[in-house]
Amino acid sequence: MSSPVMNETYSVEVEQGTTCLWYYNFYHSLTAGAGDQRTKNNEDDLDTSTDRINQDITANANNNDNGEQFWMDDEWTAEEMEDAKQTLQSAHDQYGNKATHKIRKLHYDASKNWNQFYRSHQTNFFNDRHYLPKAFPEEFPLYEPNGDDDDHNTTTATTTSTKKTVVEIGCGVGNALLPLLEQFPKWVVWGFDFSKVGIDLMVQDERFRHAQQEKRAFGQVWDMTSETDEPPHECHGVADICLVLFCLSAVPPEHQNMERAACHAAKLLKPGGMLVFRDYGRYDQAQFKLGTSRNKSLGNNFYVKHDGTMCYYFRLEDLERLFVSVAGLEIVELRYIRRVYKNRSKDEKRRRVWVQARFRKPFSS
């Protein structure tokens, strides 16, 4: 059994390599109105560099003399966190709007807003998440030792014999599930999203259609925060893996919305099944872009974007409360991913924060 990647103070587990201690007052130099732009970089900063996560960071930096972007692990001091907290609080006091009716309307219109989002962007906005086997090798093992020796060259594809069921909540147009159908040709996948346009785009993909003919790919519209609408009965307790990737942050934290979503996700898992989670972390640069913009704050660490979609920035304590205290799962991994990105040619630095977690459903459930 893996040990939780977490310590008592919920601080980041710094990966091996040179830790960047740069701290820059980036929120005073943000481009005006930048918080209105939902760019690919918000997630893809993390995604596109996942395959470098275990490389030597110093070598990474030294090998980027051509002006391209490189990243280094970041570590925040207590003073920096307090400064960030005060900056966001001051901006919220000045620009914030806590009107409950506004949040309720945005939540009510969320499906409409996401439908419009996918009508506008189709399948071109988010990159396919081919990184999952590298970021979560225990859940997505492309290869395994053949038993002859420990040499990494003597491996066989697990896809020849292993069959699992993966359910993703908030699948969008299938950027995570579609690559899995290619990488694991015997696995069964279910994709849920409350955007009908997103689901329609996913099921039209040739990869999905081929797997659907083999009865191993299913997609359905479903709101994970619903008080009355349960996930399909055939999905209860069947998932070896439940994916919740950059999805829960779009849910209003008020009125038990996130709690219901966490409980629904836990209900999909079989005993011993794993919930795999990634989302935006507290004090990410994108939070400052929104938090220091007028009329974007809906509450503490919760914001509305220009297209009407919403975003919450998590602490590790938030996830422990939702998935352990409320949903009854066990922590396997719970950590921040903190990085500084620098573009030498433009002399720009960006400080990014994400949360990553894995929770197991107890075998006794």
Side-chain angles (χ1 to χ4, degrees), residues 1 269-273 327-330 360-365:
M1 180 182 298
L269 289 169
K270 64 172 56 174
L329 303 180
E330 302 170 341
R360 179 186 293 113
K361 188 169 187 176
F363 286 97
S364 58
S365 298

mmCIF file of all heavy atoms in Angstrom, residues 1 269-273 327-330 360-365:
data_model
loop_
_atom_site.group_PDB
_atom_site.id
_atom_site.type_symbol
_atom_site.label_atom_id
_atom_site.label_comp_id
_atom_site.label_asym_id
_atom_site.label_seq_id
_atom_site.Cartn_x
_atom_site.Cartn_y
_atom_site.Cartn_z
ATOM 1 N N MET A 1 0.851 -1.203 0.000
ATOM 2 C CA MET A 1 0.000 0.000 0.000
ATOM 3 C C MET A 1 0.877 1.239 0.000
ATOM 4 O O MET A 1 1.837 1.340 0.761
ATOM 5 C CB MET A 1 -0.916 0.000 1.227
ATOM 6 C CG MET A 1 -1.833 1.226 1.287
ATOM 7 S SD MET A 1 -2.865 1.228 2.775
ATOM 8 C CE MET A 1 -3.800 -0.261 2.522
ATOM 9 N N LEU A 269 -17.032 4.025 -7.335
ATOM 10 C CA LEU A 269 -15.860 3.161 -7.143
ATOM 11 C C LEU A 269 -16.241 1.805 -6.576
ATOM 12 O O LEU A 269 -17.108 1.694 -5.707
ATOM 13 C CB LEU A 269 -14.867 3.833 -6.201
ATOM 14 C CG LEU A 269 -14.102 5.058 -6.720
ATOM 15 C CD1 LEU A 269 -13.381 5.749 -5.568
ATOM 16 C CD2 LEU A 269 -13.116 4.660 -7.811
ATOM 17 N N LYS A 270 -15.552 0.767 -7.018
ATOM 18 C CA LYS A 270 -15.653 -0.530 -6.376
ATOM 19 C C LYS A 270 -14.765 -0.519 -5.139
ATOM 20 O O LYS A 270 -13.861 0.332 -5.015
ATOM 21 C CB LYS A 270 -15.204 -1.643 -7.327
ATOM 22 C CG LYS A 270 -13.745 -1.593 -7.735
ATOM 23 C CD LYS A 270 -13.300 -2.817 -8.520
ATOM 24 C CE LYS A 270 -14.123 -3.066 -9.742
ATOM 25 N NZ LYS A 270 -13.577 -4.184 -10.552
ATOM 26 N N PRO A 271 -14.969 -1.405 -4.163
ATOM 27 C CA PRO A 271 -14.057 -1.465 -3.018
ATOM 28 C C PRO A 271 -12.615 -1.650 -3.486
ATOM 29 O O PRO A 271 -12.327 -2.511 -4.324
ATOM 30 C CB PRO A 271 -14.555 -2.690 -2.244
ATOM 31 C CG PRO A 271 -16.010 -2.766 -2.594
ATOM 32 C CD PRO A 271 -16.103 -2.341 -4.034
ATOM 33 N N GLY A 272 -11.729 -0.806 -2.989
ATOM 34 C CA GLY A 272 -10.341 -0.817 -3.430
ATOM 35 C C GLY A 272 -10.078 0.034 -4.641
ATOM 36 O O GLY A 272 -8.931 0.222 -5.049
ATOM 37 N N GLY A 273 -11.151 0.593 -5.246
ATOM 38 C CA GLY A 273 -10.991 1.451 -6.420
ATOM 39 C C GLY A 273 -10.356 2.778 -6.059
ATOM 40 O O GLY A 273 -10.399 3.226 -4.906
ATOM 41 N N ALA A 327 -16.900 11.888 1.988
ATOM 42 C CA ALA A 327 -17.156 10.760 1.079
ATOM 43 C C ALA A 327 -16.631 9.423 1.595
ATOM 44 O O ALA A 327 -16.956 8.379 1.029
ATOM 45 C CB ALA A 327 -16.552 11.056 -0.294
ATOM 46 N N GLY A 328 -15.814 9.432 2.654
ATOM 47 C CA GLY A 328 -15.385 8.182 3.278
ATOM 48 C C GLY A 328 -14.266 7.440 2.585
ATOM 49 O O GLY A 328 -14.088 6.242 2.792
ATOM 50 N N LEU A 329 -13.456 8.145 1.775
ATOM 51 C CA LEU A 329 -12.338 7.502 1.100
ATOM 52 C C LEU A 329 -11.065 7.625 1.933
ATOM 53 O O LEU A 329 -11.012 8.350 2.931
ATOM 54 C CB LEU A 329 -12.129 8.127 -0.286
ATOM 55 C CG LEU A 329 -13.346 8.096 -1.225
ATOM 56 C CD1 LEU A 329 -12.995 8.737 -2.567
ATOM 57 C CD2 LEU A 329 -13.853 6.671 -1.423
ATOM 58 N N GLU A 330 -10.020 6.914 1.518
ATOM 59 C CA GLU A 330 -8.733 6.918 2.212
ATOM 60 C C GLU A 330 -7.692 7.645 1.377
ATOM 61 O O GLU A 330 -7.634 7.482 0.150
ATOM 62 C CB GLU A 330 -8.256 5.486 2.466
ATOM 63 C CG GLU A 330 -9.206 4.645 3.274
ATOM 64 C CD GLU A 330 -8.812 3.177 3.283
ATOM 65 O OE1 GLU A 330 -8.040 2.749 2.394
ATOM 66 O OE2 GLU A 330 -9.288 2.455 4.180
ATOM 67 N N ARG A 360 -8.474 6.122 -2.096
ATOM 68 C CA ARG A 360 -8.921 4.742 -2.286
ATOM 69 C C ARG A 360 -10.214 4.507 -1.508
ATOM 70 O O ARG A 360 -10.382 4.961 -0.377
ATOM 71 C CB ARG A 360 -7.861 3.764 -1.792
ATOM 72 C CG ARG A 360 -8.262 2.288 -1.931
ATOM 73 C CD ARG A 360 -7.249 1.369 -1.291
ATOM 74 N NE ARG A 360 -5.972 1.388 -1.989
ATOM 75 C CZ ARG A 360 -4.858 1.868 -1.497
ATOM 76 N NH1 ARG A 360 -4.860 2.405 -0.269
ATOM 77 N NH2 ARG A 360 -3.732 1.851 -2.187
ATOM 78 N N LYS A 361 -11.128 3.755 -2.148
ATOM 79 C CA LYS A 361 -12.338 3.343 -1.453
ATOM 80 C C LYS A 361 -12.004 2.139 -0.571
ATOM 81 O O LYS A 361 -11.408 1.159 -1.046
ATOM 82 C CB LYS A 361 -13.422 2.953 -2.452
ATOM 83 C CG LYS A 361 -14.781 2.704 -1.805
ATOM 84 C CD LYS A 361 -15.864 2.593 -2.864
ATOM 85 C CE LYS A 361 -17.248 2.516 -2.248
ATOM 86 N NZ LYS A 361 -18.307 2.503 -3.278
ATOM 87 N N PRO A 362 -12.326 2.182 0.702
ATOM 88 C CA PRO A 362 -11.964 1.077 1.598
ATOM 89 C C PRO A 362 -12.521 -0.257 1.106
ATOM 90 O O PRO A 362 -13.618 -0.339 0.561
ATOM 91 C CB PRO A 362 -12.609 1.484 2.933
ATOM 92 C CG PRO A 362 -12.748 2.963 2.855
ATOM 93 C CD PRO A 362 -13.024 3.267 1.410
ATOM 94 N N PHE A 363 -11.734 -1.316 1.296
ATOM 95 C CA PHE A 363 -12.166 -2.645 0.867
ATOM 96 C C PHE A 363 -13.387 -3.108 1.655
ATOM 97 O O PHE A 363 -14.124 -3.981 1.208
ATOM 98 C CB PHE A 363 -11.021 -3.647 1.022
ATOM 99 C CG PHE A 363 -9.953 -3.476 -0.022
ATOM 100 C CD1 PHE A 363 -8.813 -2.738 0.250
ATOM 101 C CD2 PHE A 363 -10.077 -4.066 -1.273
ATOM 102 C CE1 PHE A 363 -7.815 -2.572 -0.706
ATOM 103 C CE2 PHE A 363 -9.094 -3.901 -2.232
ATOM 104 C CZ PHE A 363 -7.959 -3.164 -1.959
ATOM 105 N N SER A 364 -13.577 -2.529 2.832
ATOM 106 C CA SER A 364 -14.692 -2.921 3.664
ATOM 107 C C SER A 364 -16.004 -2.274 3.273
ATOM 108 O O SER A 364 -17.050 -2.554 3.844
ATOM 109 C CB SER A 364 -14.402 -2.580 5.137
ATOM 110 O OG SER A 364 -14.147 -1.195 5.273
ATOM 111 N N SER A 365 -15.952 -1.377 2.269
ATOM 112 C CA SER A 365 -17.163 -0.656 1.857
ATOM 113 C C SER A 365 -18.147 -1.584 1.163
ATOM 114 O O SER A 365 -17.756 -2.493 0.430
ATOM 115 C CB SER A 365 -16.784 0.485 0.926
ATOM 116 O OG SER A 365 -15.948 1.425 1.586
#
